[in-house]
Amino acid sequence: VATADGTTCAFDVTGTVKGTFTNSSQTLAIVTAGSTLKLSNVQGCFGLLNNGDHATFKANFKLTPTNSAFKPISITEN
C-alpha cells in the first residue's frame, strides 16, 4: 500500500480468528482471545511491523441475507 509520501507498508496475514454468532441480533463478534493471526512478507512499514508479529482483531459485524433463496450474507461493521 503506497502512502502519501511515497513509502509503502504491505504484509500478509495468516491464521485464524475466533468469534461467536448471536441469532437474535444476527451479529458476528470476532474476539482477540484464541486468535492466531501472524504477519509475514512485511515490506516497508518503518520497522513498526515485522515478520512474525502477531496481529489482533476485534469487531462486531451485522449479518443480513442478500438473497433469501441461497442465504448468502452481506457483512457490515456494527
Side-chain angles (χ1 to χ4, degrees):
V1 176
T3 59
D5 63 0
T7 59
T8 61
C9 182
F11 52 89
D12 295 329
V13 179
T14 56
T16 60
V17 293
K18 301 289 182 174
T20 60
F21 183 74
T22 305
N23 281 324
S24 60
S25 64
Q26 296 291 291
T27 301
L28 174 65
I30 305 298
V31 298
T32 299
S35 297
T36 62
L37 299 178
K38 192 179 221 180
L39 303 183
S40 62
N41 299 317
V42 176
Q43 299 171 13
C45 304
F46 302 102
L48 298 172
L49 303 175
N50 299 288
N51 289 323
D53 283 354
H54 292 275
T56 58
F57 179 64
K58 181 178 179 180
N60 291 321
F61 297 96
K62 176 79 172 166
L63 305 183
T64 53
T66 57
N67 179 324
S68 60
F70 299 105
K71 301 283 188 213
I73 56 173
S74 173
I75 300 175
T76 55
E77 189 170 357
N78 202 9

